[in-house]
Each structure stands twice: as C-alpha cells, then as structure tokens.
Amino acid sequence: MSYLGAIEAGGTKMICALGREDGSVLESVSIPTTEPARCMPQILEFFQGRGIDALGVGCFGLLDLDRNSQTYGCITTTPKLRWRNYPIMRCLQDALGVPVGIDTDVNAAALAEATWGCSRGLGCSIYITVGTGIGVGIIVDGKPHHGMIHPECGHIPVNRRSDDPMVRGVCPYHGSCLEGLACGPAIESRWGRSPAELADCEAVWALEAYYLGQALCSYIYTISPERIVLGGGVMNQQQLLPLIRAEVNRQLGGYIKGKGLNDLDSYIVSSSLGGRQGIMGCLRLAADALEEVQHGS
Ligand code: ADP
Ligand code: ZN
C-alpha cells in the first residue's frame, strides 16, 4: 500500500490528510484558508518528512487543468485576490518532490462517489455540492470531465420564481444564476437567518427545491447522468431531498421516462461517504498521479 497525501482546498479551510489508495484517512488537520504566504507553509509543514508517495489536491476556484498549458495546475479566476493565478500544484510539487494530481474540489468528490460511493460502477454520474457555493463534478467513463476548462454547472441560469422575495441573487458575477439564488449564503440573504435556523420554514425549502429541481432537469437533459448525488452543508436539511425529487418529476413533465427516472429515490441520492467524499477523492487523485509516473498511464 502507498502512503498518500490529500488536500481538500476550500474557500474557508484547507483539509490536509494522510491516507491510502483505498480511500482510508489515517490523519487529518484543518488549516484556515488565509493568504498563500501564510497558509502554504502550514500545509507544507504537515506533509514534510512524512514520506508520502504522491499528493492529490481538490481545489476551489477556476483551475487551469490543461496539461499542455504553461499555467497547468494554477488557480485562475477566484474572488480571493491573493490566490488569483497562484501556481498551487507547482508549489506543492517543488516543495514536496512527489507527483501531484489536481482537480476541482467537486470533481474530486464526484470521483470519490464513483470510486467508493453510490455512483460506483456507473459510466456517467454527477455530484452536486450545495454549500457556500454550488458546484458540480461530472464523471464520464470513470474520469472527471474537463473539456475546455472544467464545467461550472453551478452557475447556469435558472428562472427566478416571481414570488421570490430576493430580487437579485448573490453571485458576484451573474446575480441570479443557480448559485446566486440557491447557495447557503443566498438562503441566508433572502430570509435573514442561516439555513440551519430555517429548518422548520416550509417556504424556504419549497423555493430551494424549485431552483435545484430546475438545475437537475438541465443536467439530466445535457449530461444524461446515470445517478445524481447531492452533498454540501445545505443538504443537511433532510426534508430537502424529497422536495427536489418531486420538483424534478414535475418539471420534467413526463418528457424523459424510464431507466433511472423510474425510481427517483435511487436516482437522486445524498452522498454515501459521510462528508469524507472530498478528501477521499483527493486520495484517489494522489493514487492516480502515482500510478501515472509508475506506469505512464
Ligand atoms: P463549503 O461549501 O464552504 O465547503 P459547506 O458544504 O459546509 O461548506 O457549506 C456551507 C453552507 O452550508 C453555509 O451556507 C451554511 O449556512 C450551510 N449549512 C451548514 N450546515 C447546515 C445545515 N445543517 N442546514 C442547512 N444549511 C447548512
Ligand atoms: Zn454565478
């Protein structure tokens, strides 16, 4: 068994872990996401001298994932100014001297679900996180889909419900995109209380399901996933998932039938990895990076 490092690099915290290629986490620490000059030395201190064979990074921001690019493995667009254009992969590789695999944070989580979780064995699946932002990871033939950059399906336009008390959503780029209307901070901005405190307010979750239902229908039409997995802080609201399924059923309008859509309870599911999907996906990225240098695959 190899000894692998993993970093789940999020907007508020960096979870650093040591683990194995079977996804088991042996040890982990959480480091606040301050600016790189402060944060990176703390991350390196955790890994240095621990004998890891490879490192996997699931990272926030838009990333350059084009292996032929000069800026491969850099964070590109992000509201966090100090991290803009930061060559996170190269810095880690240079400092630790091991192969580093990198992907978006949601692609890492999607990969973990496809490797060990509820999308195991499926050709095409998606993982959606509904948290501080909304992100979507897409797995095709066992691999995260990148395409031109990487999909940013959390920012698709959705129809604002006419009685939504929030006139403009919170996305700094688009206002009322899906993320702008349905992420955790959008719920808080609309209703004036944190989503966790709104557990008993039916109207909150009906509206949330209306937006997420629209998004899921769009993903079904465009990606045709064989399973949809939902995670992230907002999905802690257990009442939300059945509401989303009902919205998807209603909004599809009977247009697509059969296959997974016959049983929405097993087609649209919550993560089965208990919140560890992000860091486990990073371990898988590390294992893949190691495999690549060992076998050139
Ligand atoms: P991040 O997206 O930053 O990685 P999370 O997935 O934990 O982190 O998402 C954070 C968001 O989830 C916040 O907007 C928070 O209000 C919301 N959240 C956290 N816990 C709950 C809960 N129990 N119920 C509803 N929303 C929650
Ligand atoms: Zn947006």
Side-chain angles (χ1 to χ4, degrees):
M1 274 259 191
S2 312
Y3 199 43
L4 302 172
I7 306 176
E8 191 181 355
T12 51
K13 58 187 187 294
M14 303 277 189
I15 298 175
C16 302
L18 300 171
R20 304 283 191 194
E21 64 262 50
D22 63 1
S24 55
V25 175
L26 306 170
E27 188 185 328
S28 72
V29 293
S30 173
I31 294 167
T33 307
T34 50
E35 73 269 18
R38 212 163 127 211
C39 187
M40 290 300 280
Q42 293 174 288
I43 292 174
L44 293 174
E45 193 186 329
F46 176 76
F47 289 111
Q48 258 149 359
R50 308 298 289 273
I52 56 169
D53 299 304
L55 178 69
V57 185
C59 193
F60 70 88
L62 294 194
L63 302 177
D64 184 347
L65 297 174
D66 175 2
R67 284 164 180 260
N68 298 316
S69 161
Q70 295 270 336
T71 51
Y72 174 55
C74 290
I75 296 170
T76 58
T77 311
T78 168
K80 292 180 171 294
L81 292 179
R82 299 280 173 89
W83 291 91
R84 213 169 266 182
N85 302 318
Y86 186 72
I88 188 164
M89 190 191 86
R90 201 173 27 133
C91 288
L92 292 163
Q93 213 160 32
D94 290 351
L96 298 171
V98 295
V100 178
I102 188 165
D103 214 313
T104 62
D105 43 8
V106 277
N107 264 347
L111 190 56
E113 292 292 347
T115 308
W116 299 289
C118 37
S119 302
R120 204 168 11 165
L122 300 176
C124 178
S125 59
I126 66 175
Y127 174 85
I128 307 171
T129 180
V130 189
T132 307
I134 297 184
V136 183
I138 303 174
I139 302 296
V140 180
D141 296 336
K143 292 203 167 87
H145 174 64
H146 295 150
M148 178 181 65
I149 304 165
H150 45 77
E152 280 292 314
C153 308
H155 291 271
I156 61 167
V158 287
N159 290 322
R160 193 179 146 274
R161 213 173 67 181
S162 56
D163 63 347
D164 185 341
M166 187 160 68
V167 175
R168 186 179 159 82
V170 300
C171 175
Y173 295 96
H174 318 112
S176 302
C177 65
L178 173 70
E179 179 173 298
L181 290 171
C183 67
I187 299 172
E188 186 153 352
S189 162
R190 177 186 291 116
W191 305 103
R193 273 185 290 159
S194 79
E197 290 171 320
L198 293 161
D200 297 332
C201 301
E202 278 178 28
V204 170
W205 306 108
L207 187 60
E208 183 70 7
Y210 173 75
Y211 290 131
L212 290 171
Q214 282 188 53
L216 264 61
C217 287
S218 291
Y219 306 151
I220 291 167
Y221 295 141
T222 53
I223 302 164
S224 190
E226 293 165 82
R227 184 154 295 138
I228 296 175
V229 186
L230 286 144
V234 172
M235 293 309 300
N236 283 318
Q237 294 298 319
Q238 305 293 314
Q239 72 278 30
L240 184 54
L241 193 60
L243 296 173
I244 294 171
R245 290 188 188 116
E247 278 293 341
V248 168
N249 189 43
R250 187 182 68 79
Q251 294 182 28
L252 285 176
Y255 178 56
I256 304 184
K257 297 191 194 78
K259 304 273 185 182
L261 297 173
N262 283 340
D263 178 13
L264 288 185
D265 289 357
S266 56
Y267 182 64
I268 302 170
V269 298
S270 44
S271 168
S272 58
L273 297 173
R276 286 172 297 126
Q277 57 273 23
I279 201 73
M280 290 175 78
C282 298
L283 286 171
R284 170 71 202 269
L285 292 173
D288 288 352
L290 186 60
E291 168 87 13
E292 203 176 309
V293 293
Q294 284 175 341
H295 300 108
S297 59

